[in-house]
Structure formats: C-alpha cells, structure tokens
Amino acid sequence: MFFRQLVREAYGCASYIIGSEEGGVCAVVDPLMDSERFFFELKASKLKPVLVLETHTHADHLSGAREFAKMTGAKLYLSGESRAKFSFNPIEDGGKIDLHDVTIKAVHTPGHTYDHMSILINEQKLLSGDTLLIGDVGRTDLGGSSEALYRSLHEKILKLPDEVTVHPAHVGAHHYLKGGTSSTIGVEKQTNAALKVKSKEEFLRYMEEGWPPKPEGYEAIIAINLGKKSLLKAQSELLKVGGHMGAKKT
Ligand SMILES: [Fe+2]
C-alpha cells in the first residue's frame, strides 16, 4: 500500500495520499488549497487520483477537495451527514470503497463536527481527522458536541485493535500538541490526556476548559467549505469591513 502524509508545517494541517501500487490508483484525503505538493507527490508516485475524501467540514482552513476533484476528475466523497451545498458522493457509516487492493472504510465519528468521519484503511491505519489527535482530541466549540465526541471515541475509535495506527488531520505545536505525526490506538489509550479521564462527566468538564481562541473568520471558512458562500464574496465582505488603518485615535 502507498501511504503518504503531507503536513503544512506553518499550520500543522495534515493531508494524505493512500494508494494501490498494484492498481496504479490513489485517494487523497483532506487536501488543502495549495495542491502543488499533492501534484508533486502524485507525479513521483505515478498513481492516478480517483477519489477525494474529507474527514469533516474544516473550520480553520479552506478545503481544496472540490478544486482537486474538478482538476483531476476524481470522485468526491463526504460523510452522508454533510450539509454541503455542492454535489458529492455521500458515504454512510461503515460504507466501504475499494481502491483496487486497498479498502477504505468510513467510520462516522461525530463530535468535533456533526459530519465528522474517520477513515480506516485496510483495517490497519486510521485517518482520525480531528476526532483523535496525538495526546488530545479535537475541540467541539466550533459547532460540534462533546457528548457525541465521547460516544464516538468510546463506542467506535477505542474499540479498534491497539495496533491500529492513528494519523490525524492536525499535528504539532501550532495546535498545542506534543511531537509526533502518528501514533497507535494502544499508545493513545495510555497517554492521551482526554482519554485518561475516568467518566463521561469528567470528559465533558475537560472539554469545557482551556481551549485556544476560535480561529479568525471561522464562520466564513465553514460557509465557503460548505459551498454556501464563494471565496470572492467572502473576500469582498472582508474588504468592506475596513478597520483601523494606523491612526492613533480609534
Ligand atoms: Fe477540524
């Protein structure tokens, strides 16, 4: 199996390429707007992109998934729970897509967002999106639900075998996470602060405290990523806002 993690260092956003070398095809997951790196890697790999998947509607960066699908002709798959306004192929919980000898399975894991799905590759590698991060879990204060996240973690993610490797959508210091770009279910069970809590009540308290400020313009980013607002419209609205231009008095 071909497996590549691409991290945009400045923001710690991780995207993935999963491919079948035997079949000469691949899927990309959570591509960013700057797709040059994808094309560089794809060219080197000689794999043809036939699928694009998103783990969830991102609130901190613009998604490149639609653009990538348009440019390459790859089919776009989102969770069946997505409220996107553009056309896509919905994938239900437990739904599988065969990529030649590689099997991609959707594991719906709402919590970080209502439409979050983790992606299990060949029952061995979990693209955990922002549900399970290294040492922590994804925030739920941008339209998610801590209760739903608790259920997703305990009823689905932690039921996977300890050897399954974990590959999140965000890594590194920019997200207040400790080092490393991948982990395993077993290691996270032992070391993850959010999983060490003893009860659901304690987890809900943990989720209420200490989160960083909300990303700037996150509501506009969500609207653009759902196809509810064009990038151009969002930009023109921002320009109309104007603001403090350097005068001493406000
Ligand atoms: Fe996210």
Side-chain angles (χ1 to χ4, degrees), residues 55-61 112-113 116 129-130 138-139 142 169-170:
T55 52
H56 62 291
T57 303
H58 300 285
D60 63 325
H61 64 267
H112 173 65
T113 62
H116 196 290
D130 288 344
R139 64 197 298 172
L142 306 176
H170 286 114

Side-chain angles (χ1 to χ4, degrees), residues 91-129:
I91 181 161
E92 302 308 324
D93 187 28
K96 289 181 182 171
I97 310 170
D98 285 326
L99 190 67
H100 202 78
D101 57 336
V102 175
T103 303
I104 293 171
K105 182 173 155 189
V107 183
H108 283 203
T109 46
H112 173 65
T113 62
Y114 61 87
D115 63 348
H116 196 290
M117 67 173 185
S118 301
I119 296 168
L120 190 57
I121 313 292
N122 281 356
E123 303 286 331
Q124 295 166 350
K125 290 179 183 290
L126 181 75
L127 305 190
S128 57

Side-chain angles (χ1 to χ4, degrees), residues 81-197:
E81 302 299 317
S82 173
R83 297 173 195 155
K85 295 295 176 205
F86 47 85
S87 77
F88 62 92
N89 299 283
I91 181 161
E92 302 308 324
D93 187 28
K96 289 181 182 171
I97 310 170
D98 285 326
L99 190 67
H100 202 78
D101 57 336
V102 175
T103 303
I104 293 171
K105 182 173 155 189
V107 183
H108 283 203
T109 46
H112 173 65
T113 62
Y114 61 87
D115 63 348
H116 196 290
M117 67 173 185
S118 301
I119 296 168
L120 190 57
I121 313 292
N122 281 356
E123 303 286 331
Q124 295 166 350
K125 290 179 183 290
L126 181 75
L127 305 190
S128 57
D130 288 344
T131 293
L132 181 60
L133 305 172
I134 298 174
D136 213 329
V137 293
R139 64 197 298 172
T140 53
D141 59 335
L142 306 176
S145 153
S146 301
E147 290 235 13
L149 180 61
Y150 184 85
R151 281 196 300 275
S152 292
L153 287 165
H154 290 270
E155 293 171 16
K156 290 186 171 170
I157 300 287
L158 299 179
K159 294 214 163 142
L160 294 169
D162 283 357
E163 314 76 69
V164 167
T165 54
V166 173
H167 310 271
H170 286 114
V171 296
H174 189 79
H175 299 281
Y176 306 94
L177 298 166
K178 58 187 180 184
T181 54
S182 68
S183 185
T184 66
I185 295 288
V187 167
E188 290 309 304
K189 273 183 188 168
Q190 287 175 10
T191 60
N192 191 306
L195 305 181
K196 280 189 188 171
V197 297

